Amino acid sequence: MARKGGKRLLVPSIALCYIRQSFTRDESDTNSPERQRANIQLVCEREGWTPEWYVDAEGHKSGRNETNRPAWLQLKERLHDADVVALVANDMSRIHRKAWRVGRLVDEILTPNDIRLVLAAPGREIDTSVPMGRLLLMMIAMQDESYANDIAQRAKDSIAYRKRQGKSVGIPPFGTIRDADGFLIPMTDGAWLLPNGRFVAGLADDAPPEAGAIWRGYYDCARRILELYAENSMGRNKIAYRLNEEGWAFRNRHNQPRPMNADDVRRVTSNWREYAGLVGYGRSKDQNASVIENPVEALEEDTGRAVFDMTLLHQVAQVQEHRSRVTRPRGSIQAAHPYALARLLYCAHCETRAIEQENPQLRSRLSGHNRYGTLRYRHAGGVSCGCKARSVLIERVEGEFRRLVDQLTLSPEAYEQLVELAIQSEHHDAETDEQVSLDEQRNAAIAKCRRRMEAARQVYMDGDISRDEYLSIKERNEREIIHWQNRSSDTQRMAIELQMCMNVFNQMIEVWDSSSDEDRQNMAHMLFEHVIYDLDAQHIVGFRLKVWAERYLVLRSCLFDDDSSGDGTPPAGENEERCFLKDSTVSCPQRASTPYVSQPRKPNLRRAETSPAAVPEPSS
């Protein structure tokens, strides 16, 4: 594929920097990504490149395939752009652990686009422009692939050995832990339910964190779930509602308590084999009761390692077998619909609870629902957050979203005012009026490099340094001059960014009605990080744009306020429907690992988010 943009007008200076960690166990397991970033940063500073970071370091990110690495897939799309000069990684195994993928990357993407491949780890420098360098690269790739295959074989052998001993593998089922021998035993951990409805992790023997706190153990919670399920009188959603009303909490993999939902009930009821001390020899998804000849017969032999009463586990197995073998009527399974706001839409009531309790895990997505032939967005099952409505028609939600995007558009005549506001904000945020502009910095740096080259030439002519030393100094300074020449001023950069954002919003609203559902979904995910929706009021109450579009949102709000009259009427040329964000209160908290803070932070133009009060309820 040829580079986008045709002939280059500027020397490329962007280095695509890739970081990958195979498996991240918890938040503290970040040594490898930090080390990779430090090595790559040194390379970019040495070469004078501008780094553009892509990180796959959450959960399981195997280098043997690409589908589970979203950051890498985004990076591959950027490799065809004309401003990219290099692909930088700590070592080749971070990019791929398949030799044929490495060969395809070099031969079909990097070489045709004249992009350098740079490995940042000490002692890993390879020149892929010469045959010897490519041969060495392929040898390293085959060694990495062999290493990955050997590790996989060892892991499979270890898992098979544990299962032959009757030991389960992976995260223990909810309510249990493993003893010193590797067998399941009841867990003593749990959560204290405080009078205000919040949970605090602890032990039964601990003193209550405050007066009136009620103890809820995880093992007792799992038993309560199995008992309600064995009655066969309610589904998973109703069981989750009942447990939340009774004050039970579920434990996530980070040992933090949270309210119960329908998926948590499924996790417990599907693990009745592990609770009975039985171990399956296939994949977990193949152990479903509907694909086993007679799942109840598996419990006839007591292993002596059951953590719950065997009679209760027999009842759970019988209920699951009965429910799994219920056949659907012909035509009852509907085709999947690509919802435009899938994975973007969140419940406003759950969002409020998450902010109040500073717990992002209380957030709930609204997912697509098509069970009864009517397309709707539905609240997560089993979650009690205070909202009475549990679903809303797709036309209502996506129509409201289209109106939001329409209010974020601007006419081309407002572009100059937008740039002027950006310039004013930059000058207002400067720490001192004597700050040197970027143009002056660039001119001074270029002049300094030229003086260095002239001084080196004079020293070389005097015979004090060798020709190789002189050429090395000359090359280094010429590269730095190119770097500074390609840097645009702040005003030019802001103008380009704002023009791009304005064009994206305007084009999106023009093609929204005529686009397919898949295209609408892609456009929504390109611009928004999340959208907060109130199911009871049936309107959008908040949203957050992508990082690259945040400055546009802040400046657009300021422009609307400046152009409006003092009596609150809309500006000339704008109808009343277009005043969607006129009275919005825009806050700009800094980006952090979690968006929930107890105190508001100092606003700035790097992070923009509308408050829940920012979007008024639309007229009918």
Side-chain angles (χ1 to χ4, degrees):
M1 179 183 293
R3 277 181 179 265
K4 300 176 183 177
K7 184 179 180 180
R8 299 188 194 178
L9 300 178
L10 295 175
V11 177
S13 61
I14 301 298
L16 304 184
C17 307
Y18 183 66
I19 296 173
R20 180 182 67 85
Q21 178 161 272
S22 300
F23 184 71
T24 304
R25 294 173 177 81
D26 50 47
E27 297 178 357
S28 62
D29 190 15
T30 59
N31 176 65
S32 178
E34 292 174 357
R35 174 173 50 82
Q36 295 179 49
R37 182 182 291 270
N39 291 340
I40 294 173
Q41 184 67 41
L42 290 176
V43 171
C44 293
E45 292 176 356
R46 182 188 67 201
E47 300 290 341
W49 295 333
T50 301
E52 186 173 304
W53 299 97
Y54 295 85
V55 181
D56 282 320
E58 295 182 2
H60 184 208
K61 305 295 182 183
S62 173
R64 304 178 70 184
N65 53 63
E66 295 182 335
T67 55
N68 65 332
R69 296 190 285 160
W72 170 252
L73 296 178
Q74 295 176 11
L75 183 148
K76 286 184 64 177
E77 293 295 325
R78 282 280 283 130
L79 286 174
H80 302 285
D81 294 338
D83 59 342
V84 178
V85 64
L87 167 61
V88 188
N90 193 62
D91 57 77
M92 201 61 224
S93 64
R94 299 303 91 198
I95 299 178
H96 286 305
R97 284 194 181 274
K98 288 286 187 180
W100 68 270
R101 291 186 186 273
V102 174
R104 175 177 293 183
L105 174 68
V106 175
D107 295 336
E108 299 182 7
I109 300 179
L110 300 184
T111 301
N113 291 322
D114 194 21
I115 296 176
R116 291 179 56 185
L117 174 61
V118 180
L119 304 180
R124 296 295 183 97
E125 294 81 3
I126 298 178
D127 184 5
T128 58
S129 62
V130 297
M132 185 59 67
R134 294 196 180 188
L135 177 61
L136 180 59
L137 181 67
M138 293 307 300
M139 292 178 61
I140 294 176
M142 289 187 290
Q143 183 180 3
D144 291 336
E145 181 177 0
S146 176
Y147 173 79
N149 293 335
D150 181 62
I151 292 297
Q153 191 64 36
R154 292 172 183 266
K156 292 178 181 178
D157 180 59
S158 175
I159 291 174
Y161 175 72
R162 289 179 59 86
K163 288 187 174 182
R164 287 195 298 269
Q165 292 182 314
K167 301 176 182 179
S168 61
V169 179
I171 299 176
F174 175 68
T176 65
I177 58 174
R178 292 190 177 92
D179 60 13
D181 297 326
F183 297 104
L184 297 180
I185 59 174
M187 173 183 286
T188 58
D189 294 20
W192 292 94
L193 176 61
L194 305 183
N196 60 4
R198 299 181 62 178
F199 291 104
V200 176
L203 299 172
D205 298 335
D206 296 342
E210 62 180 66
I214 303 175
W215 170 252
R216 288 286 186 263
Y218 295 138
Y219 175 77
D220 296 332
C221 178
R223 180 170 53 195
R224 180 60 175 158
I225 293 174
L226 296 174
E227 291 172 350
L228 293 176
Y229 186 81
E231 295 175 1
N232 199 20
S233 60
M234 60 182 75
R236 296 192 183 102
N237 285 342
K238 291 186 177 181
I239 292 177
Y241 289 133
R242 172 74 67 82
L243 292 167
N244 286 324
E245 292 173 357
E246 296 177 359
W248 297 99
F250 194 82
R251 171 184 176 271
N252 63 15
R253 63 177 58 200
H254 303 301
N255 199 27
Q256 295 300 317
R258 61 171 174 80
M260 193 79 55
N261 59 46
D263 281 338
D264 300 331
V265 176
R266 175 190 55 79
R267 293 183 179 98
V268 173
T269 56
S270 297
N271 278 324
W272 54 266
R273 298 171 188 80
E274 285 74 13
Y275 289 138
L278 302 175
V279 177
Y281 289 94
R283 295 176 297 180
S284 296
K285 67 177 183 179
D286 295 335
Q287 300 300 315
N288 187 281
S290 62
V291 296
I292 298 178
E293 185 65 28
N294 192 344
V296 181
E297 291 181 357
L299 296 177
E300 291 182 354
E301 180 181 356
D302 190 353
T303 61
R305 297 188 295 269
V307 293
F308 290 106
D309 182 69
M310 290 296 294
T311 302
L312 174 62
L313 295 177
H314 267 97
Q315 295 173 352
V316 171
Q318 290 173 347
V319 172
Q320 189 181 56
E321 179 189 18
H322 171 71
R323 293 186 178 184
S324 299
R325 295 188 182 278
V326 174
T327 58
R328 293 178 178 267
R330 183 180 299 274
S332 61
I333 301 178
Q334 302 291 333
H337 178 79
Y339 292 83
L341 303 182
R343 304 183 304 279
L344 284 181
L345 209 59
Y346 287 84
C347 170
H349 293 78
C350 294
E351 193 79 9
T352 301
R353 294 176 60 209
I355 294 174
E356 291 175 349
Q357 301 186 25
E358 302 180 18
N359 183 4
Q361 296 200 14
L362 296 180
R363 306 176 76 199
S364 296
R365 282 197 182 105
L366 305 184
S367 57
H369 179 59
N370 189 23
R371 179 173 299 177
Y372 303 110
T374 303
L375 298 177
R376 309 177 72 90
Y377 285 97
R378 183 182 61 174
H379 196 287
V383 179
S384 301
C385 62
C387 65
K388 298 179 180 179
R390 305 301 297 179
S391 64
V392 63
L393 291 173
I394 186 175
E395 294 83 1
R396 178 72 180 184
V397 179
E398 296 185 3
E400 182 78 3
F401 179 77
R402 184 196 183 283
R403 180 169 174 259
L404 168 62
V405 176
D406 184 47
Q407 304 314 310
L408 290 172
T409 60
L410 277 178
S411 62
E413 292 76 13
Y415 172 66
E416 296 297 335
Q417 294 175 292
L418 206 65
V419 175
E420 181 64 26
L421 281 174
I423 296 173
Q424 294 176 5
S425 67
E426 289 292 322
H427 286 297
H428 182 268
D429 293 338
E431 296 180 357
T432 172
D433 294 337
E434 298 178 356
Q435 182 179 6
V436 181
S437 67
L438 182 59
D439 291 335
E440 296 174 351
Q441 292 181 23
R442 179 172 62 248
N443 295 335
I446 292 175
K448 187 175 182 179
C449 291
R450 288 173 177 168
R451 289 195 301 269
R452 288 173 182 165
M453 289 190 295
E454 179 62 25
R457 188 177 70 88
Q458 294 295 336
V459 175
Y460 166 63
M461 293 178 63
D462 292 339
D464 293 333
I465 61 175
S466 65
R467 177 175 177 79
D468 291 339
E469 291 175 322
Y470 164 67
L471 293 177
S472 176
I473 296 173
K474 183 174 179 291
E475 180 185 2
R476 183 169 61 251
N477 283 275
E478 286 177 344
R479 187 164 55 242
E480 187 173 348
I481 289 175
I482 294 175
H483 165 70
W484 281 103
Q485 287 176 341
N486 288 332
R487 292 191 61 179
S488 61
S489 65
D490 286 345
T491 303
Q492 293 172 329
R493 175 174 51 82
M494 288 185 298
I496 294 173
E497 291 176 354
L498 295 175
Q499 179 73 58
M500 180 182 66
C501 292
M502 188 174 70
N503 290 341
V504 170
F505 279 107
N506 291 344
Q507 292 175 4
M508 181 175 178
I509 201 64
E510 290 176 2
V511 303
W512 181 266
D513 293 333
S514 59
S515 299
S516 63
D517 295 313
E518 293 87 350
D519 292 338
R520 291 182 182 181
Q521 186 181 92
N522 293 332
M523 288 188 291
H525 280 265
M526 178 180 65
L527 284 172
F528 290 83
E529 285 194 358
H530 65 238
V531 178
I532 311 302
Y533 192 84
D534 191 330
L535 285 168
D536 291 337
Q538 293 194 0
H539 65 81
I540 296 174
V541 297
F543 62 94
R544 173 172 288 177
L545 296 178
K546 295 289 186 180
V547 177
W548 59 272
E550 290 167 351
R551 182 191 296 269
Y552 171 84
L553 175 62
V554 176
L555 295 177
R556 189 211 177 282
S557 301
C558 296
L559 178 63
F560 218 128
D561 290 339
D562 292 342
D563 290 345
S564 60
S565 59
D567 58 357
T569 58
E574 299 279 354
N575 56 43
E576 187 172 356
E577 282 294 314
R578 300 264 311 183
C579 297
F580 193 75
L581 300 175
K582 177 181 179 304
D583 297 325
S584 63
T585 303
V586 181
S587 60
C588 317
Q590 292 275 11
R591 175 180 288 273
S593 58
T594 173
Y596 306 100
V597 294
S598 56
Q599 297 294 333
R601 288 167 284 186
K602 181 180 179 180
N604 66 80
L605 293 179
R606 291 180 59 84
R607 193 66 183 151
E609 180 178 3
T610 58
S611 65
V615 184
E617 182 177 1
S619 57
S620 59

